[in-house]
Amino acid sequence: MAAQPPVDYPPVPADYELPRRVGLEEYHRLADQLAGRYEYHGGLMYPRFYPPGSNWAMAGGTEAHDQITLNLHIEIGLHVRTLGRCRLHTSDLLLEAGAHEYYPDAYVTCDDAMQPGRRRMQDATLVCEVRSQSTAEFDRNEKFEAYKLLPGLQEYLILDNRRPEATLYRMSGGNWLQITCTEGTDIRLESIGLVLPLNRIYAGLTLDPDPTR
């Protein structure tokens, strides 16, 4: 087998912040004071889009990431409004998963009345992340393990930013099943009763290149 060429990682930005090891209370204090969004995993506070262990530096999401997320919000948001008992949340609202805290690209809560001034949610029925180069491995592994701590989580969806493809993890019979949805197929979100054609998420978009190919 021919040797694979080395991956050409982009340089780390000059203003990149190393993750800080802080307690949860200190994270809450700092996150409320600092500009930008910071997530918390395993005792480390880090800028969103650059989790611990990532080899990629990103100041934010790409245009493809942004448009995929927007299309997802539209499709899920319009649907959950018809359910009455569920709400879609965006990356403006923290989600607590055990001792970890994240800003998912989208997530749905059900049977939980709104509370004045609430800034963090403690559970979700469905969590969705749009892949980025810096977070891909983290979303699939460490972050998924943390999301499993959510007591009501039924499905976890990851949408690819390089091709029309989605990976759906569904809790069934005490086990997590992995389902791959490719171009021309439907994403069946049983947690909220939505059949979502994958092409409606990716229609007309210019996606990001895959630097590992």
Side-chain angles (χ1 to χ4, degrees):
M1 181 181 295
Q4 295 294 316
V7 177
D8 184 21
Y9 292 116
V12 175
D15 60 351
Y16 167 62
E17 299 179 46
L18 288 171
R20 314 182 192 193
R21 184 165 292 282
V22 298
L24 190 56
E25 290 186 5
E26 180 70 358
Y27 160 71
H28 288 162
R29 186 184 69 80
L30 291 171
D32 289 342
Q33 292 178 351
L34 297 173
R37 293 180 186 158
Y38 293 81
E39 298 186 311
Y40 189 77
H41 180 89
L44 293 174
M45 173 180 177
Y46 61 94
R48 188 168 184 256
F49 288 120
Y50 205 140
S54 173
N55 292 312
W56 287 77
M58 292 181 62
T62 62
E63 185 176 10
H65 184 285
D66 174 75
Q67 292 301 297
I68 294 168
T69 304
L70 177 61
N71 289 344
L72 186 67
H73 288 170
I74 292 170
E75 297 293 338
I76 293 181
L78 289 174
H79 174 73
V80 297
R81 287 183 64 183
T82 69
L83 301 180
R85 62 185 187 85
C86 298
R87 296 189 306 280
L88 171 69
H89 302 284
T90 69
S91 58
D92 284 334
L93 191 64
L94 269 168
L95 176 62
E96 297 180 1
H100 317 288
E101 299 195 10
Y102 309 109
Y103 288 100
D105 288 311
Y107 63 103
V108 175
T109 59
C110 298
D111 301 315
D112 184 3
M114 292 184 66
Q115 299 178 21
R118 181 158 58 176
R119 303 179 65 180
R120 293 174 175 85
M121 303 297 290
Q122 288 77 41
D123 201 4
T125 298
L126 166 68
V127 175
C128 308
E129 297 281 9
V130 178
R131 180 196 181 279
S132 66
Q133 193 62 44
S134 62
T135 65
E137 291 300 318
F138 191 72
D139 287 347
R140 240 187 345 255
N141 297 299
E142 291 93 339
K143 186 176 279 190
F144 183 29
E145 289 302 313
Y147 283 147
K148 289 177 183 177
L149 300 174
L150 296 168
L153 186 66
Q154 298 177 32
E155 290 178 315
Y156 177 45
L157 176 67
I158 302 177
L159 291 163
D160 206 301
N161 64 317
R162 305 159 302 173
R163 62 183 72 93
E165 184 174 295
T167 303
L168 177 65
Y169 299 91
R170 176 183 297 140
M171 170 56 67
S172 177
N175 297 305
W176 285 97
L177 304 180
Q178 179 177 333
I179 303 165
T180 301
C181 307
T182 55
E183 189 170 8
T185 63
D186 296 333
I187 307 172
R188 297 184 176 274
L189 298 174
E190 294 183 355
S191 58
I192 57 173
L194 174 62
V195 177
L196 176 58
L198 192 65
N199 289 348
R200 283 169 61 174
I201 299 294
Y202 291 93
L205 302 187
T206 300
L207 300 179
D208 295 325
D210 185 352
T212 63
R213 290 190 170 186

